[in-house]
Amino acid sequence: MIGREGRYVMEYSLDVRFKPLYEIMGSLHAYVCRKSHKKLDLTPSWAKQVRQMITPELADVLDRVQIDGDWKLTYLLVHLCPGEDVADFVAWLKGMSAGDLYELMSTYGNQFPVQMGEFRDQTINLFEQWNDQYFRHIDPFILEGLREQAHIRKEALQSTDPIAFIDETTNGLSFAPISGLEQLILMPQYHFQPINVIFNFGKVTICHYAARIYAEDEEFLAPHEYRMIRSVAEKSRLKILRYLNQGPRSFIEIVRHMELSKGITHDHIAKLRYAGMLSAHFEGETLTTYSLRTCALEQVHSKIIGYIEQG
């Protein structure tokens, strides 16, 4: 629904959640989504270092994982699991028959794995091995930081306009109240920063958002702050921001205005999005338009001045 001032009126509930199980999913996603490795805040050598930690057998399994419909359904199972960590998830799945899983997942859509029993067993094996060989060895700071971040955001939710809250928490996302959507759940993530992972399951949309926490101390600027500054140090991106100052625009409209290829335009938009310079407007999983995020422009100025005045 659109309000009198042209803004979306919330017709779904909003929640912030965290448990370690979400982050093991995020760490798996960071590893298997190979095309994103160069875009992540993790060190460029992270995937190579992890490969040296795990067995050749697990590496082979992960090499065959695809970011497809079954992977999306793995996110759904992680969301639906009542437990907190990998042990809970594995025990829960082992107690579910293929029929139980069909019945559980049917509430959230009509897409299912071809072989549900095989899908369940592969998921159990993958999570057990990944946890044993990688995830249980990560810096405890990561999980502590994510839990604290979720707690802070849940408290802020009580006193903040929901639309502004979503924008601030996710660094520039907006979710339209589409038909059937009952709940939006925001989950802080570390491994896949600065990219957000968004899936819609009918009545529920889940968004694993970049928490903007970092395990290493930064002597210069935090990665997301430096990213903001770098994102505007390019002529075409400044032109995109100036164009969006006229109002929300679709990707195709931006391509036509810029007179650049779709690939180059997409790369510029992605860098602006990851920096939080744009608002990305979603209907379910579908990104419809972009708009200028003026608060980010003010933050860039503030960060530069703040850094300079430190000395």
Side-chain angles (χ1 to χ4, degrees), residues 199-231:
F199 288 123
N200 175 255
F201 300 103
K203 60 185 179 181
V204 176
T205 292
I206 63 172
C207 172
H208 292 253
Y209 68 90
R212 286 165 279 171
I213 62 171
Y214 307 97
E216 298 181 1
D217 292 332
E218 298 295 329
E219 296 182 1
F220 180 54
L221 291 167
H224 71 275
E225 296 171 342
Y226 189 42
R227 185 182 302 110
M228 292 174 71
I229 296 170
R230 285 186 300 149
S231 73

Side-chain angles (χ1 to χ4, degrees), residues 27-28 31-32 34 46-64 126-137:
S27 64
L28 271 167
Y31 185 88
V32 302
R34 290 167 285 277
W46 174 78
K48 294 180 180 179
Q49 293 170 351
V50 173
R51 196 174 187 91
Q52 293 174 352
M53 294 174 58
I54 63 180
T55 63
E57 292 76 17
L58 177 55
D60 181 62
V61 170
L62 292 169
D63 285 345
R64 289 184 276 111
L126 179 60
F127 274 71
E128 284 184 320
Q129 290 195 62
W130 181 253
N131 182 60
D132 182 61
Q133 298 180 40
Y134 171 72
F135 191 73
R136 69 185 181 91
H137 302 290

Side-chain angles (χ1 to χ4, degrees), residues 237-252:
R237 291 176 215 150
L238 288 173
K239 286 184 176 180
I240 291 173
L241 294 177
R242 183 170 63 180
Y243 180 52
L244 293 179
N245 190 47
Q246 302 172 22
R249 296 289 186 268
S250 68
F251 174 71
I252 293 301

Side-chain angles (χ1 to χ4, degrees), residues 15-300:
D15 195 12
V16 180
R17 298 179 185 174
F18 173 74
K19 50 189 177 183
L21 180 57
Y22 298 157
E23 189 57 23
I24 192 172
M25 185 73 217
S27 64
L28 271 167
H29 191 81
Y31 185 88
V32 302
C33 190
R34 290 167 285 277
K35 66 179 182 180
S36 296
H37 285 175
K38 293 182 179 179
K39 303 174 185 177
L40 301 182
D41 286 338
L42 295 169
T43 61
S45 60
W46 174 78
K48 294 180 180 179
Q49 293 170 351
V50 173
R51 196 174 187 91
Q52 293 174 352
M53 294 174 58
I54 63 180
T55 63
E57 292 76 17
L58 177 55
D60 181 62
V61 170
L62 292 169
D63 285 345
R64 289 184 276 111
V65 171
Q66 299 295 318
I67 309 298
D68 55 12
D70 282 1
W71 192 245
K72 175 180 175 179
L73 292 174
T74 306
Y75 266 95
L76 176 61
L77 289 180
V78 166
H79 162 66
L80 293 175
C81 176
E84 285 284 315
D85 54 29
V86 179
D88 296 331
F89 183 60
V90 168
W92 177 69
L93 276 183
K94 286 182 176 179
M96 301 282 280
S97 68
D100 292 334
L101 290 173
Y102 276 117
E103 183 176 357
L104 177 67
M105 297 165 74
S106 64
T107 307
Y108 298 87
N110 55 9
Q111 299 296 316
F112 306 100
V114 175
Q115 296 291 335
M116 181 66 82
E118 181 178 327
F119 168 73
R120 177 202 57 206
D121 294 344
Q122 290 175 346
T123 300
I124 291 171
N125 178 61
L126 179 60
F127 274 71
E128 284 184 320
Q129 290 195 62
W130 181 253
N131 182 60
D132 182 61
Q133 298 180 40
Y134 171 72
F135 191 73
R136 69 185 181 91
H137 302 290
I138 67 171
D139 188 340
F141 166 85
I142 295 172
L143 298 182
E144 293 167 3
L146 291 171
R147 195 179 300 279
E148 177 64 17
Q149 214 279 340
H151 176 71
I152 291 172
R153 296 315 299 160
K154 282 184 73 72
E155 287 194 336
L157 178 58
Q158 308 305 315
S159 58
T160 308
D161 170 72
I163 296 174
F165 175 86
I166 295 170
D167 172 80
E168 180 182 351
T169 303
T170 62
N171 207 26
L173 301 187
S174 173
F175 294 89
I178 60 175
S179 176
L181 178 62
E182 298 177 5
Q183 187 175 38
L184 171 65
I185 303 174
L186 306 179
M187 307 166 178
Q189 63 175 355
Y190 170 84
H191 281 81
F192 209 57
Q193 297 181 111
I195 307 173
N196 299 311
V197 180
I198 302 163
F199 288 123
N200 175 255
F201 300 103
K203 60 185 179 181
V204 176
T205 292
I206 63 172
C207 172
H208 292 253
Y209 68 90
R212 286 165 279 171
I213 62 171
Y214 307 97
E216 298 181 1
D217 292 332
E218 298 295 329
E219 296 182 1
F220 180 54
L221 291 167
H224 71 275
E225 296 171 342
Y226 189 42
R227 185 182 302 110
M228 292 174 71
I229 296 170
R230 285 186 300 149
S231 73
V232 296
E234 205 284 332
K235 187 175 181 179
S236 293
R237 291 176 215 150
L238 288 173
K239 286 184 176 180
I240 291 173
L241 294 177
R242 183 170 63 180
Y243 180 52
L244 293 179
N245 190 47
Q246 302 172 22
R249 296 289 186 268
S250 68
F251 174 71
I252 293 301
E253 288 175 314
I254 298 173
V255 170
R256 290 171 179 167
H257 176 76
M258 295 299 295
E259 298 182 337
L260 297 172
S261 70
K262 291 182 179 179
I264 292 175
T265 304
H266 181 272
D267 184 64
H268 285 312
I269 290 175
K271 285 182 170 60
L272 291 169
R273 271 193 64 192
Y274 301 154
M277 305 305 295
L278 306 179
S279 290
H281 302 268
F282 283 84
E283 294 183 3
E285 297 174 19
T286 304
L287 202 166
T288 57
T289 58
Y290 299 96
S291 61
L292 179 64
R293 195 162 177 253
T294 54
C295 66
L297 296 176
E298 297 168 356
Q299 290 172 18
V300 167

